[in-house]
Amino acid sequence: MDKQQFPTFDICNLNTPKNINELLSVDRFRGYVESNPHLQQVHNHNYYHLVYFTEGSGEHLIDFEKFPVKTGMMYFMKPGQVHQWYFKEKYDGFVVNFSSSFFDWIGINSSLLQKFSFLQSIKITDHVIELNKELQAIISPLFENIINENLLNDQFTNLKIGSQLLELFILIERNYFADSNAVNDYKSVLLNNFQTLIDQHFKVKKLPKDYAEMLYITPNHLNALCKDLGGISAGELIRSRVVLEAKRLLVNKELSVSEIAYELNFQDASYFVKFFKKYTNFTPEQFRKQYYI
């Protein structure tokens, strides 16, 4: 299938201050949105996207789940997630976009990002943080420092911004995910590896036993791990990824339901429709109409 699913933007597509290698962009959020009107449609990125609101109201749609826009809200988005903004009144804040290779480029192994729950969790709610007043007072100046450092733009700028981003990430992890940090590292790595494999193979491998074999564990072990750390079974995690991709494809009204069924490796369109309705309570066309009234 060679039709475009939905707009996918790279950092080089953005009209915003970015570094020389286009691995990072930093801006004040209001100016960022006004300079990039194409970002107000349903779209996704191939980079990490961090937004912190200092004022405003509205909604943020992330992978078809709605979250509030208000002062003190922080959003962490991974590459590939679909989203859209809806603003009700004046809004502002800060936005940082960085590629998956940014930290590697400045000499910090990007695998370090796997340590942060808000970047790796299977629960979208973990990617949305409402900061308390104490942390707001710390983090707003940190973003101002990042903005100023980006304007300085010398040989140490990206290294300094990278260290400031890590400082931010550590603050969030320590204050909001202390309990999850106590989880056995082996289990966390195993679950992350399972998620990675799902992203790579969900169109053709639909059963937990297929992934358990690749992870060198038993299906029962995999299922227990998912329920322990994520609260859902391994099968549910696989199916939810298929449903999510179906939703992402349905956003593009140029794709027929039959084309989407074929792309997701269903035996026929009718089976895909039944599957989609079972797990969303909508037919594919009913779901699509929500976004094209």
Side-chain angles (χ1 to χ4, degrees):
M1 182 174 60
D2 56 6
K3 295 181 181 179
Q4 179 67 34
Q5 297 179 18
F6 36 73
T8 300
F9 299 119
D10 198 344
I11 290 177
C12 64
N13 299 131
L14 302 175
N15 183 17
T16 184
K18 44 187 178 284
N19 72 6
I20 191 170
N21 289 332
E22 297 187 327
L23 299 176
L24 171 84
S25 73
V26 177
D27 210 346
R28 297 187 188 279
F29 188 72
R30 186 172 185 83
Y32 172 81
V33 172
E34 292 175 349
S35 299
N36 296 276
H38 56 288
L39 296 179
Q40 297 189 48
Q41 59 184 306
V42 178
H43 67 280
N44 77 350
H45 315 120
N46 62 4
Y47 49 83
Y48 288 92
H49 181 60
L50 163 60
V51 177
Y52 172 59
F53 284 98
T54 55
E55 62 178 313
S57 67
E59 288 183 335
H60 187 191
L61 187 74
I62 307 176
D63 278 339
F64 311 100
E65 291 190 34
K66 292 181 179 180
F67 299 93
V69 168
K70 58 183 179 179
T71 301
M73 295 299 295
M74 183 173 287
Y75 290 90
F76 295 93
M77 294 186 61
K78 298 188 296 184
Q81 289 186 295
V82 173
H83 78 134
Q84 187 174 23
W85 303 101
Y86 301 91
F87 299 112
K88 294 181 180 178
E89 57 185 48
K90 184 179 179 181
Y91 57 88
D92 207 355
F94 302 93
V95 56
V96 178
N97 300 308
F98 61 96
S99 75
S100 57
S101 59
F102 171 69
F103 283 99
D104 291 317
W105 186 70
I106 61 175
I108 302 172
N109 195 318
S110 61
S111 64
L112 182 66
L113 298 178
Q114 296 179 9
K115 290 186 175 292
F116 301 110
S117 305
F118 47 84
L119 291 176
Q120 302 300 329
S121 175
I122 62 177
K123 296 182 288 186
I124 294 182
T125 51
D126 286 343
H127 299 250
V128 182
I129 312 293
E130 184 172 2
L131 303 184
N132 57 42
K133 294 293 184 180
E134 181 180 353
L135 268 184
Q136 288 180 40
I138 296 172
I139 284 176
S140 288
L142 184 54
F143 274 108
E144 290 287 357
N145 290 338
I146 290 174
I147 290 281
N148 292 333
E149 184 62 44
N150 197 55
L151 293 174
L152 184 60
N153 196 27
D154 67 11
Q155 62 178 322
F156 298 111
T157 288
N158 285 331
L159 184 59
K160 183 67 177 292
I161 290 177
S163 66
Q164 290 171 324
L165 285 175
L166 289 176
E167 180 182 351
L168 168 66
F169 295 167
I170 292 168
L171 276 170
I172 297 298
E173 189 74 19
R174 282 178 170 172
N175 280 274
Y176 293 97
F177 298 94
D179 292 340
S180 63
N181 289 338
V183 173
N184 183 288
D185 282 344
Y186 167 74
K187 290 184 178 181
S188 297
V189 170
L190 197 57
L191 182 59
N192 285 337
N193 289 343
F194 178 40
Q195 290 177 252
T196 299
L197 288 172
I198 291 175
D199 280 337
Q200 294 171 348
H201 303 290
F202 71 91
K203 293 180 183 179
V204 293
K205 296 185 182 295
K206 307 289 176 69
L207 300 176
K209 67 178 184 179
D210 298 326
Y211 296 93
E213 182 177 348
M214 289 188 284
L215 291 166
Y216 302 102
I217 60 176
T218 67
N220 285 342
H221 184 179
L222 179 60
N223 201 48
L225 173 76
C226 292
K227 287 185 175 180
D228 184 27
L229 299 189
I232 61 175
S233 69
E236 288 175 293
L237 195 55
I238 299 166
R239 288 190 293 273
S240 67
R241 183 63 182 88
V242 177
V243 170
L244 174 58
E245 192 68 15
K247 290 178 177 179
R248 289 175 173 178
L249 293 169
L250 285 165
V251 169
N252 182 1
K253 59 184 176 183
E254 295 182 3
L255 295 175
S256 70
V257 171
S258 294
E259 286 176 309
I260 294 171
Y262 177 79
E263 174 69 11
L264 296 177
N265 206 34
F266 282 86
Q267 60 189 25
D268 55 50
S270 62
Y271 180 57
F272 166 65
V273 171
K274 291 177 182 177
F275 172 88
F276 189 83
K277 187 170 184 180
K278 178 179 180 180
Y279 293 106
T280 69
N281 295 319
F282 292 97
T283 66
E285 291 296 347
Q286 287 171 337
F287 176 84
R288 170 175 276 166
K289 285 178 181 178
Q290 297 176 91
Y291 301 93
Y292 297 100
I293 298 174

